[in-house]
């Protein structure tokens, strides 16, 4: 509740010009100018990898035909060059690549695909976790349990990434949304790649066909969701799963991966509510086993994949959340990456190894952050300009935003008005 | 002429069993964070195991014992996951000891359940009626091979060796924290955590004494004897 009380003060504080402005120009030359001035480094190799995956899909996909694919490429190209759409599509290019690879799995010729593993997952589940959990949990079914399992699995799962993108845009420091988009994209890309290289049959295959060797001609099945279709008289899940591009993609479970990544990002931004987020992950894991879609090994694989991607993103690029700030527009400055800037005394760093990601202690660099926080609090407190003679006087504390803008702040502009942009 | 120095076993062991970074990719602290969370995710099986015990008929005592230890380790590691990024020495020590115990338990359970699973696979295939006579795999090896046991065993060995490497990482992280923080047993507070840290630190100090003080002391004595012999000759 205290957050709401201070909302008025926070909103009024947000009228200050800030360096984190959204692009609004439509001139593609800006993008080429940026491209020319980019300081190229190893990290840019990722776009070569994405280009390779897109080229593979371009060659393999048959349905939208040649001209359809060319049209799509042109659309994507313009979206990436016009600055207004570039700011959205450039971080999202990883998600687009994943979606296209997922769609093109149907067109990959059978000769290229490895044999389907049917018994490896049940064996691993029984040996690593005692008994076949997914089989036991899906034995006793009931309509209430069906609806309980359907809610996270069929509804929240598919809508959560969009909702979380908006939440992260508003309540997280600027720069969090692109990191979320890339991490989400790379996790899915790795997941689909593993599913293509190491195809395994889900539990519903074991129930329908027994443990006989599988072929790629078998169509997907909604598993427990067929009961939901019967309950509600719809056929969305039956048709959806029947012609899903990846039928034998049990390991790693991307349902668990999505849930874990969302829980990690949300508990990064709202640490106080992390237990409800982790409860959602456990709930969704139960649903996937109850609906016969995954073994427990797949869920562990999906969650570990999500956590690995999150740790890499967090240590390298995720902006640090500053205490006392809730809205995006309150952030005067952002520190990217956790544990990068402090001096690390581990002897691995003394050897100058370029690969070392994290430092040893978790705190940010105390002195710099404390000074800047102090600077900000003064400015926040000074919102009613009682410390300065008038609004345009230069006695205001020199904040990086003012220096870069060079124009007096216009007090009357609202958050969504872009008037402070030259 | 190439002169070989006497092999210093302590340095060799240290370089072998105390890695200085997590897979050469990141620091030990980040590695320990990943390890704690991976163990946390694996121990979720305890929750679903307990739920499945109520619903299933054939439940062995070993499964119940495994699910109980899983839930305990789940609680313990979720408590540790909060403190590991904060570089606290007692929690790193607790992490190493609990992870080592957990690793041994894991090996015992994996071997046990593997034997019971493959025994079940082999016996069930003998009595399989549905498969016509000709198709039924003849030799034991054919059954073993058809049940895709080779990749399963390879994956099991890979996961077990991964956990062994994780144990070494937690060991070297706790060791490095003790060395970097320069904690002395006598300077620890007399609270419960202080006593616990002092107790858990004992093997580390014993190992340090064995490796560092022993070598220096001997070399120092040798020098004194050398000087005395020189003095005798001069005199």
């Amino acid at each position: 509740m205290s957050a709401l009380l201070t909302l008025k003060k926070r909103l009024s504080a947000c009228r200050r010009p800030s360096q984190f402005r959204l692009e609004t120009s439509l001139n593609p030359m800006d993008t080429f100018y940026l491209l020319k001035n980019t300081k190229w480094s190893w990290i840019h190799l990722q776009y070569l990898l994405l280009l390779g995956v897109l080229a593979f899909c371009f060659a393999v996909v048959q349905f939208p035909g040649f001209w359809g694919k060319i049209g799509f490429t042109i659309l994507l190209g313009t979206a990436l060059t016009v600055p207004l759409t570039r700011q959205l599509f450039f971080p999202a290019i990883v998600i687009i690549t994943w979606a296209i690879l997922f769609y093109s799995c149907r067109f990959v010729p059978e000769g290229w695909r490895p044999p389907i593993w049917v018994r490896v997952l049940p064996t691993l589940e029984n040996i690593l976790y005692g008994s076949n959990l997914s089989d036991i949990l899906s034995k006793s079914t009931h309509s209430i349990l069906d609806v309980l399992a359907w809610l996270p699995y069929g509804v929240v799962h598919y809508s959560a990434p969009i909702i979380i993108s908006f939440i992260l845009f508003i309540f997280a420091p600027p720069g969090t949304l692109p990191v979320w988009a890339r991490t989400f994209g790379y996790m899915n890309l790795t997941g689909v790649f593993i599913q293509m290289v190491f195809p395994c049959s889900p539990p519903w295959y074991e129930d329908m066909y027994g443990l006989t060797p599988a072929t790629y001609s078998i169509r997907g099945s909604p598993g427990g969701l067929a009961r939901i279709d019967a309950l509600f008289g719809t056929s969305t899940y039956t048709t959806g799963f029947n012609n899903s591009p990846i039928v034998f993609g049990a390991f790693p479970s991307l349902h668990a991966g999505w849930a874990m990544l969302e829980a990690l990002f949300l508990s990064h931004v709202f640490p106080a509510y992390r237990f409800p987020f982790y409860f959602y992950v456990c709930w969704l894991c139960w649903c996937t086993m109850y609906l016969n879609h995954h073994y427990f090994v797949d869920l562990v694989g999906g969650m570990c994949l999500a956590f690995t991607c999150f740790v890499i993103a967090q240590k390298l690029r995720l902006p640090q959340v500053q205490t006392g700030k809730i809205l995006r527009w309150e952030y005067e400055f952002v520190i990217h990456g956790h544990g990068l800037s402090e001096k690390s005394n581990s002897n691995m760093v003394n050897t100058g190894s370029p690969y070392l990601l994290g430092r040893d202690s978790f705190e940010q660099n105390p002195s710099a952050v404390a000074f800047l926080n102090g600077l900000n609090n003064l400015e926040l407190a000074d919102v009613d300009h009682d410390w300065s003679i008038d609004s345009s006087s230069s006695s205001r504390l020199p904040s990086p935003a003012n220096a870069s803008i060079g124009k007096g702040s216009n007090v009357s502009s609202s958050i969504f008005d872009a008037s402070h942009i030259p | 002429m190439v002169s070989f120095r006497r092999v210093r076993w302590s340095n060799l062991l240290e370089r072998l069993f105390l890695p200085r970074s997590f897979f050469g990719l990141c620091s030990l602290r980040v590695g320990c964070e990943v390890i704690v969370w991976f163990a946390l995710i694996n121990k979720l099986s305890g929750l679903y195991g307990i739920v499945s015990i109520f619903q299933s008929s054939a439940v062995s005592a070993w499964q119940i014992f495994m699910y109980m230890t899983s839930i305990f380790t789940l609680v313990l590691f979720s408590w540790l996951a909060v403190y590991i990024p904060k570089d606290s020495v007692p929690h790193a020590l607790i992490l190493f000891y609990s992870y080592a115990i957990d690793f041994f338990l894991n090996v015992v359970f994996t071997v046990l359940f593997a034997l019971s699973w493959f025994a079940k696979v082999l016996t069930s295939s003998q009595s399989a009626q549905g498969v016509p006579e000709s198709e039924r795999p003849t030799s034991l090896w054919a059954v073993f091979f058809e049940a895709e046991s080779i990749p399963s065993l390879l994956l099991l060995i890979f996961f077990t060796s991964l956990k062994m490497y994780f144990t070494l990482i937690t060991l070297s992280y706790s060791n490095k924290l003790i060395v970097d923080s320069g904690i002395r047993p006598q300077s620890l507070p007399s609270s419960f955590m202080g006593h616990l840290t002092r107790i858990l630190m004992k093997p580390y100090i014993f190992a340090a004494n064995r490796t560092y003080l022993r070598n220096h002391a001997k070399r120092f004595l040798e020098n004194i004897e050398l000087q005395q012999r020189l003095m005798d000759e001069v005199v």
Side-chain angles (χ1 to χ4, degrees):
Chain A
M1 271 318 287
S2 68
L4 293 180
L5 294 180
T6 60
L7 197 55
K8 182 184 161 308
K9 188 180 232 337
R10 288 177 193 282
L11 287 176
S12 55
C14 301
R15 279 199 295 279
R16 270 197 327 309
S18 88
Q19 51 180 320
F20 306 112
R21 296 192 310 281
L22 296 180
E23 305 269 357
T24 50
S25 84
L26 297 171
N27 173 12
M29 294 316 296
D30 300 350
T31 313
F32 295 123
Y33 178 73
L34 277 178
L35 210 57
K36 189 162 63 67
N37 292 354
T38 323
K39 290 190 288 298
W40 297 103
S41 76
W42 293 107
I43 202 74
H44 293 101
L45 277 181
Q46 62 179 318
Y47 303 114
L48 217 59
L49 169 80
L50 296 180
L51 205 64
V53 173
L54 285 174
F56 167 76
C57 298
F58 191 96
V60 162
V61 166
Q62 267 114 33
F63 169 64
F66 177 74
W67 292 110
K69 289 185 272 191
I70 290 288
F72 180 82
T73 319
I74 292 169
L75 271 177
L76 194 58
T78 45
L80 285 177
T81 39
V82 170
L84 181 71
T85 55
R86 182 198 73 213
Q87 64 191 346
L88 177 72
F89 278 88
F90 185 58
I93 192 115
V94 192
I95 300 178
I96 295 167
T97 313
W98 156 64
I100 294 173
L101 182 67
F102 181 77
Y103 172 71
S104 70
C105 283
R106 170 184 304 132
F107 302 102
V108 174
E110 293 218 1
W112 297 3
R113 298 192 193 184
I116 299 167
W117 302 105
V118 177
R119 294 166 177 248
V120 171
L121 287 186
T123 312
L124 281 183
E125 185 174 46
N126 271 288
I127 293 175
L128 286 176
Y129 303 110
S131 61
N132 40 19
L133 300 174
S134 54
D135 200 21
I136 296 167
L137 286 176
S138 63
K139 270 294 174 291
S140 54
T141 62
H142 188 278
S143 60
I144 293 176
L145 289 181
D146 289 348
V147 173
L148 259 178
W150 163 65
L151 277 178
Y153 190 89
V155 177
V156 176
H157 171 74
Y158 295 105
S159 53
I162 313 284
I163 298 167
I164 283 169
S165 302
F166 284 108
I167 293 174
L168 289 185
F169 179 76
I170 295 168
F171 294 106
T176 306
L177 192 52
V179 172
W180 154 255
R182 288 174 190 274
T183 317
F184 186 73
Y186 279 122
M187 179 187 74
N188 288 325
L189 207 57
T190 325
V192 164
F193 185 70
I194 295 173
Q195 283 167 359
M196 287 167 82
V197 166
F198 180 62
C200 302
S201 64
W204 53 259
Y205 174 84
E206 189 181 348
D207 297 345
M208 290 163 72
Y209 302 90
L211 286 175
T212 56
T215 66
Y216 279 103
S217 57
I218 293 173
R219 305 298 298 270
S221 137
L225 285 173
R227 298 195 295 271
I228 293 287
D229 279 349
L231 199 64
F232 294 136
T234 63
S235 72
T236 48
Y237 292 111
T238 314
T239 50
F241 279 95
N242 274 350
N243 39 45
S244 105
I246 298 186
V247 175
F248 295 103
F251 183 88
S253 148
L254 284 181
H255 268 85
W258 283 29
M260 190 67 175
L261 200 66
E262 287 148 10
L264 286 168
F265 265 92
L266 285 178
S267 45
H268 168 74
V269 178
F270 309 108
Y273 305 106
R274 59 185 187 278
F275 288 107
F277 299 142
Y278 294 137
F279 173 76
Y280 166 73
V281 176
C282 298
W283 181 13
L284 185 116
C285 287
W286 170 78
C287 304
T288 52
M289 287 195 277
Y290 173 78
L291 296 173
N292 263 342
H293 273 268
H294 287 293
Y295 296 98
F296 188 73
V297 185
D298 315 336
L299 304 177
V300 169
M303 287 193 271
C304 289
L305 174 65
F307 182 76
T308 315
C309 296
F310 176 73
V311 161
I312 294 172
Q314 183 195 22
K315 298 302 170 197
L316 279 180
R317 197 56 196 165
L318 195 59
Q320 293 172 9
V321 176
Q322 290 157 23
T323 53
K325 291 190 171 127
I326 297 177
L327 297 176
R328 161 199 184 85
W329 298 278
E330 296 176 71
Y331 279 87
E332 271 293 326
F333 69 98
V334 156
I335 301 172
H336 283 274
H338 290 68
L340 285 177
S341 58
E342 293 83 17
K343 188 189 72 57
S344 160
N345 50 22
S346 84
N347 29 29
M348 183 67 187
V349 167
N350 304 340
T351 56
S353 138
Y355 301 108
L356 199 60
L357 295 180
R359 187 227 161 262
D360 289 294
S361 90
F362 188 73
E363 290 80 16
Q364 307 154 359
N365 188 339
S367 54
V369 172
F371 169 69
L372 286 173
N373 273 345
L375 199 65
N376 283 304
N377 296 343
L378 278 176
E379 281 197 47
L380 264 183
D382 176 30
V383 157
D384 310 328
H385 311 299
D386 42 19
W387 285 85
S388 60
I389 302 157
D390 51 28
S391 69
S392 62
S393 78
S394 64
S395 71
R396 303 264 322 255
L397 289 167
S399 79
N402 290 355
S404 63
I405 302 296
K407 184 160 70 65
S409 72
N410 172 353
V411 182
S412 63
S413 65
S414 75
I415 309 173
F416 302 111
D417 169 20
S419 67
H420 53 280
I421 295 166
Chain B
M1 190 270 287
V2 179
S3 70
F4 288 99
R5 221 172 35 65
R6 193 173 61 76
V7 172
R8 278 185 292 187
W9 295 106
S10 58
N11 290 30
L12 205 63
L13 283 174
E14 210 172 295
R15 192 171 301 117
L16 269 178
F17 294 106
L18 291 180
R20 287 198 297 273
S21 71
F22 185 63
F23 290 118
L25 287 178
C26 52
S27 69
L28 289 170
R29 182 184 59 78
V30 175
C32 272
E33 236 178 286
V34 169
I35 289 167
V36 168
W37 274 85
F38 275 14
L40 209 61
I41 292 169
N42 276 291
K43 293 308 161 196
L44 274 178
S45 61
L47 294 181
Y48 299 109
I50 295 296
V51 170
S52 73
I53 279 176
F54 297 128
Q55 296 183 2
S56 80
S57 52
V59 174
S60 78
W62 283 108
Q63 281 174 357
I64 298 176
F65 177 56
M66 175 173 171
Y67 295 144
M68 290 303 160
T69 43
S70 292
I71 288 185
F72 173 73
T73 351
L74 179 70
V75 172
L76 178 67
F77 280 168
S78 53
W79 173 62
L80 285 180
V82 176
Y83 292 99
I84 288 296
K86 296 195 170 67
D87 276 347
S88 86
V89 177
H91 295 95
L93 287 165
I94 296 168
L95 171 68
F96 165 64
Y97 285 106
S98 54
Y99 202 87
I101 295 165
D102 180 60
F103 169 65
F104 289 123
L105 276 179
N106 257 336
V107 168
V108 167
F109 285 129
T110 306
V111 168
L112 220 87
F113 290 128
L115 293 179
S116 71
W117 169 259
F118 288 123
K120 195 169 69 176
V121 162
L122 296 181
T123 50
S124 71
S125 72
Q126 307 305 33
S127 62
Q129 292 79 17
V131 179
E133 187 55 43
S134 62
E135 267 184 23
R136 183 173 301 164
T138 52
S139 71
L140 217 57
W141 167 253
V143 167
F144 188 79
F145 182 78
E146 196 187 71
E148 290 175 9
S149 314
I150 307 295
S152 316
L153 282 180
L154 287 179
L155 277 173
L156 283 176
I157 292 163
F158 170 69
F159 288 142
T160 311
S161 55
L162 202 64
K163 283 185 184 141
M164 192 169 64
Y165 180 72
F166 284 171
T167 321
L168 294 181
I169 289 280
T170 38
L171 170 64
S172 78
Y173 175 58
S174 48
N175 185 42
K176 190 171 76 57
L177 269 191
I178 292 173
V179 169
D180 290 352
S181 59
I183 278 184
R184 294 291 176 268
Q186 60 272 16
S187 70
L188 283 170
S190 61
S191 67
F192 167 72
M193 270 312 217
H195 290 305
L196 186 65
T197 319
R198 196 176 293 116
I199 294 163
L200 295 181
M201 261 171 72
K202 271 196 180 10
Y204 291 73
I205 297 167
F206 175 74
N209 293 344
R210 289 277 304 161
T211 54
Y212 301 123
L213 299 186
R214 189 162 52 83
N215 295 353
H216 297 318
K218 206 170 59 171
R219 201 166 295 119
F220 178 68
L221 296 177
E222 282 159 5
N223 292 349
I224 294 174
E225 285 157 19
L226 199 63
Q227 281 166 9
Q228 277 161 2
R229 239 180 271 123
L230 286 176
M231 289 300 290
D232 299 346
E233 279 163 15
V234 164
V235 167

